[in-house]
Amino acid sequence: MNNLVILPLLIPLLAGIILVIFRQNILLQRWLSMVAILSTGGVASYLLQMVSDYGIQTLAIGGWEAPFGIIFVLDMFAGLLILTTSIVSLGCILYAFNSIGSEREQFYFYPFMLFLITGVNGSFLTGDIFNLFVCFEVMLISSYVLISLGGTKVQLRQSIKYIVINIMSSTMFLLGIAYLYAITGTLNLAHLSVRIAEVGQEGMLTTVAILFLTVFSLKAALFLYFWLPGSYGAPPTAIGAIFGALLTKVGVYALFRMFTLIFYHQPEITHMLLGMMAAITMILGGLGAICHWDIRKIIAYNVIIAVGFIVSGLAVFTATAVTGGIYYLIHDMIGKALLFLLGGTIIGITGTGKLKEMSGLIRNHPLLGWMFFITVLALAGIPPLSGFIGKVLVIKGTMEMEFYWLTVVGLLSSLMVLYSVMKIFINVFWGETYLSKDKEKGTTYGLLFPCVLLTTVSIALGLGVEGITCYIEQAANGLMNPDIYIKAVLKSI
Amino acid sequence: METLMAILIGVLFTVGVYLLLSKNFLRIILGTSILAHGTHLLIITMGGLKKGMPPIISGKNVAYTDPLPQALILTAIVINFAVTALFLVLAYRSYQELGTDNIEKIRSIADE
């Protein structure tokens, strides 16, 4: 029992509720949301150290022990993701200060941002599957509001599609929960794992597993990603960035959790399916990224490729590949937020998203250019930047298990990422400068600082791999050995 | 009883999916709502329909009905109401802004 475990959920929730009351006071909104995120990050890093020293931290709410009560579990994997979430959302909030506009700020932008973070952190923390659904919904409802906040035509058009898709997948999530409860009679993740290990994962349970696979794939944009490119490009940059960095990753987290803790008995069906979906996602996402000439679209397709790559680490299902998957997941959350923010800054300066209408920005914006270049290299996985180690480990894992087709697709996808993002860099920053300083549509005032912050984190993540290796290995170890999780949650059984 | 419920849930799903596939906002929203109701009924059926006493512990050794599915659908219904309300408001706002409630026509409106 550790009461601190609930704080990553409670701090943003309370701050959000307070901010709803003070709608007009923008200064308070900014400061309080920043303080809330910073303190969430602080608590997360403190808890992370605790998990590293004393093992998995749990909190049985109201003193009702698992499997009867609601339980919050903080293992290393969840802890790392919560810390990364705090860093990413700090970057996005700082970016929003100078870019989102006072109208959106007055109409509950910060509260919904905080509620979104509440939902995300809740999904990482919760130890039973129905609360996973509830936290997903908290996150999704906030995202519905954020995607349509401001009510421009594009946003409304895209939000309808986004909402219908997500309602459908939530309905299917509930269906899966209903079947799972009928078969096993429990909802606690650890208890489910025990029960399924007892009865064996027969045809029925594998079917349920595939139902969950569909649900989380819809949320994570794994294979079923058709809704993503339009939806993530519609809202303002800061919102798009937090979507690209967090929302799909929560789906990926759920896939990791379900398919390492519960449905791991028939990898030849479920994990093979995951692998095939990951490969197709990488290929189709890569083709999308290559063929588009609009910055927003290219960046959105890059989100899809990354999801495919992370899940291929899960599909291989060895310690090496899962470790690589976690490295890449953390790198990608920061890298994607950074890419969205930088892309949004470019669009802000030039006033258009079309690559062919811009050129030579590096003369007036050298810092922006260099940061973009570093991000490109990090995303493509060039050493010593942050994407490298994850890529190496996943590729190594696929070779060890002789999934050579996945190796090929994984490497190919890196090239596609490199080409598509380099295309932005070359077209935007090289060539004649025909947009002089006074003709620019927007300024970069205050927008570069959050980008610098995230770039620093990204570089630090690459150079300081030694420092975080022990944490990530512990996270992977926890995922590969469900017994650790089960023992921490079900102490009596 | 379970068989009857299964048929009912099937009918609800059919209606829900049919409405989802139509082109009108309101029909789509009603479709998602009906689909959700089908799911709620499924959850309560999956937990077992009423078989025993109300789940109040009295100390006597009797069979109780499982209370958990009811708690689950209570939460799910609340969430579904919230989402439906939000979706209705959003659809109305889109109708005002875009001037149509037909999905096909919205598709053809240019981005900028």
Side-chain angles (χ1 to χ4, degrees):
Chain A
M1 280 286 262
N2 181 353
N3 284 324
L4 291 180
V5 169
I6 203 170
L7 281 182
L9 182 137
L10 210 57
I11 295 170
L13 181 67
L14 288 179
I17 291 172
I18 294 169
L19 288 182
V20 168
I21 305 167
F22 302 101
R23 177 164 80 87
Q24 303 286 350
N25 193 339
I26 292 178
L27 208 64
L28 178 77
Q29 302 251 342
R30 288 180 177 180
W31 275 103
L32 191 58
S33 49
M34 209 167 82
V35 169
I37 289 171
L38 278 174
S39 45
T40 313
V43 170
S45 41
Y46 175 71
L47 282 170
L48 208 60
Q49 200 52 48
M50 226 169 183
V51 175
S52 150
D53 293 343
Y54 306 106
I56 296 173
Q57 302 291 313
T58 59
L59 171 62
I61 290 169
W64 292 89
E65 290 294 334
F68 304 108
I70 292 169
I71 191 157
F72 274 34
V73 187
L74 186 90
D75 65 344
M76 192 44 107
F77 185 43
L80 282 170
L81 291 179
I82 289 174
L83 186 58
T84 322
T85 302
S86 312
I87 296 170
V88 166
S89 43
L90 182 68
C92 295
I93 290 256
L94 285 177
Y95 191 90
F97 285 177
N98 289 305
S99 70
I100 201 88
S102 63
E103 269 213 328
R104 286 196 173 95
E105 280 183 315
Q106 278 187 2
F107 282 94
Y108 311 109
F109 168 73
Y110 295 111
F112 278 108
M113 213 64 167
L114 289 168
F115 292 148
L116 182 91
I117 295 162
T118 309
V120 171
N121 284 349
S123 311
F124 292 151
L125 279 175
T126 180
D128 83 83
I129 193 160
F130 193 77
N131 277 296
L132 186 64
F133 166 75
V134 174
C135 291
F136 258 91
E137 286 302 310
V138 171
M139 175 185 87
L140 286 174
I141 294 176
S142 322
S143 75
Y144 299 157
V145 176
L146 284 175
I147 201 172
S148 56
L149 190 68
T152 60
K153 278 188 182 173
V154 199
Q155 281 180 306
L156 290 172
R157 217 169 57 117
Q158 298 293 355
S159 60
I160 299 255
K161 185 167 68 180
Y162 178 74
I163 292 179
V164 172
I165 291 292
N166 277 306
I167 290 178
M168 272 305 293
S169 71
S170 298
T171 311
M172 281 163 65
F173 196 171
L174 275 178
L175 283 181
I177 291 175
Y179 287 128
L180 205 56
Y181 185 70
I183 297 170
T184 61
T186 180
L187 292 168
N188 186 291
L189 291 177
H191 202 204
L192 274 173
S193 177
V194 174
R195 285 266 169 98
I196 289 176
E198 274 168 9
V199 300
Q201 192 181 329
E202 292 297 319
M204 256 315 252
L205 277 168
T206 308
T207 316
V208 175
I210 292 170
L211 187 61
F212 277 111
L213 175 64
T214 319
V215 172
F216 295 133
S217 305
L218 263 171
K219 312 244 186 206
L222 174 72
F223 185 53
L224 307 164
Y225 62 77
F226 43 89
W227 52 271
L228 191 141
S231 313
Y232 282 18
T237 311
I239 299 174
I242 206 158
F243 279 19
L246 297 183
L247 292 193
T248 51
K249 303 306 180 296
V250 178
V252 174
Y253 164 82
L255 282 174
F256 266 79
R257 192 55 93 206
M258 296 302 280
F259 288 94
T260 57
L261 181 63
I262 300 175
F263 300 116
Y264 59 88
H265 300 283
Q266 290 211 320
E268 69 276 10
I269 298 176
T270 49
H271 288 68
M272 184 52 103
L273 205 58
L274 274 170
M276 288 196 281
M277 285 166 83
I280 299 172
T281 312
M282 281 190 274
I283 294 171
L284 293 182
L287 290 179
I290 285 176
C291 77
H292 277 287
W293 284 87
D294 185 289
I295 292 188
R296 292 191 194 95
K297 285 272 161 61
I298 297 176
I299 295 176
Y301 275 104
N302 268 297
V303 175
I304 297 166
I305 306 175
V307 168
F309 194 80
I310 297 165
V311 173
S312 68
L314 170 64
V316 175
F317 202 47
T318 60
T320 320
V322 169
T323 315
I326 299 171
Y327 266 119
Y328 201 79
L329 180 58
I330 291 169
H331 144 77
D332 193 64
M333 284 166 85
I334 290 166
K336 280 292 132 57
L338 190 54
L339 191 62
F340 267 94
L341 293 184
L342 293 171
T345 313
I346 294 169
I347 294 173
I349 292 170
T350 56
T352 171
K354 297 190 178 65
L355 283 181
K356 290 182 176 163
E357 292 172 18
M358 45 181 108
S359 153
L361 278 188
I362 201 150
R363 200 156 308 241
N364 290 329
H365 301 280
L367 183 60
L368 184 65
W370 283 110
M371 277 198 294
F372 199 90
F373 186 63
I374 291 172
T375 315
V376 168
L377 296 187
L379 283 176
I382 287 171
L385 294 156
S386 56
F388 173 65
I389 183 88
K391 269 205 168 142
V392 168
L393 287 177
V394 171
I395 296 291
K396 195 174 150 207
T398 55
M399 304 247 278
E400 273 169 7
M401 291 299 281
E402 301 184 341
F403 281 101
Y404 291 120
W405 47 281
L406 211 53
T407 318
V408 173
V409 175
L411 289 173
L412 202 66
S413 81
S414 301
L415 284 181
M416 286 167 162
V417 169
L418 188 62
Y419 172 74
S420 67
V421 198
M422 214 52 171
K423 187 166 76 179
I424 303 182
F425 181 73
I426 290 172
N427 278 286
V428 174
F429 290 103
W430 286 3
E432 283 297 309
T433 310
Y434 55 73
L435 199 67
S436 65
K437 199 99 193 177
D438 47 321
K439 272 192 198 149
E440 284 170 4
K441 303 283 193 304
T443 63
T444 55
Y445 171 75
L447 299 184
L448 289 182
F449 173 65
C451 302
V452 172
L453 186 84
L454 288 180
T455 315
T456 321
V457 174
S458 176
I459 295 173
L461 210 59
L463 296 179
V465 164
E466 291 284 342
I468 58 166
T469 301
C470 61
Y471 296 102
I472 288 184
E473 270 172 2
Q474 194 184 344
N477 189 32
L479 287 182
M480 292 309 291
N481 303 304
D483 290 344
I484 302 174
Y485 187 94
I486 294 166
K487 265 196 198 116
V489 177
L490 305 172
K491 292 181 189 84
S492 52
I493 297 176
Chain B
M1 192 64 185
E2 266 86 356
T3 322
L4 260 178
M5 285 299 272
I7 294 168
L8 175 65
I9 293 161
V11 170
L12 282 177
F13 265 80
T14 320
V15 174
V17 170
Y18 176 74
L19 284 174
L20 257 184
L21 293 176
S22 59
K23 286 174 188 163
N24 184 295
F25 276 168
L26 272 181
R27 282 165 175 268
I28 292 174
I29 297 169
L30 286 177
T32 56
S33 194
I34 289 173
L35 213 57
H37 284 307
T39 320
H40 301 152
L41 286 181
L42 183 77
I43 293 180
I44 206 146
T45 316
M46 281 299 181
L49 296 171
K50 188 173 179 295
K51 281 180 201 145
M53 299 288 290
I56 303 165
I57 297 173
S58 57
K60 288 177 209 136
N61 195 11
V62 286
Y64 300 109
T65 306
D66 186 0
L68 197 62
Q70 301 178 20
L72 298 186
I73 66 164
L74 189 60
T75 318
I77 287 172
V78 172
I79 291 175
N80 176 42
F81 279 161
V83 173
T84 310
L86 184 99
F87 199 7
L88 275 169
V89 173
L90 192 80
Y92 180 62
R93 185 81 174 79
S94 314
Y95 173 69
Q96 280 183 327
E97 195 76 21
L98 305 167
T100 174
D101 66 344
N102 189 312
I103 293 290
E104 285 287 305
K105 284 184 187 146
I106 286 175
R107 187 190 286 257
S108 58
I109 294 172
D111 265 3
E112 245 83 26

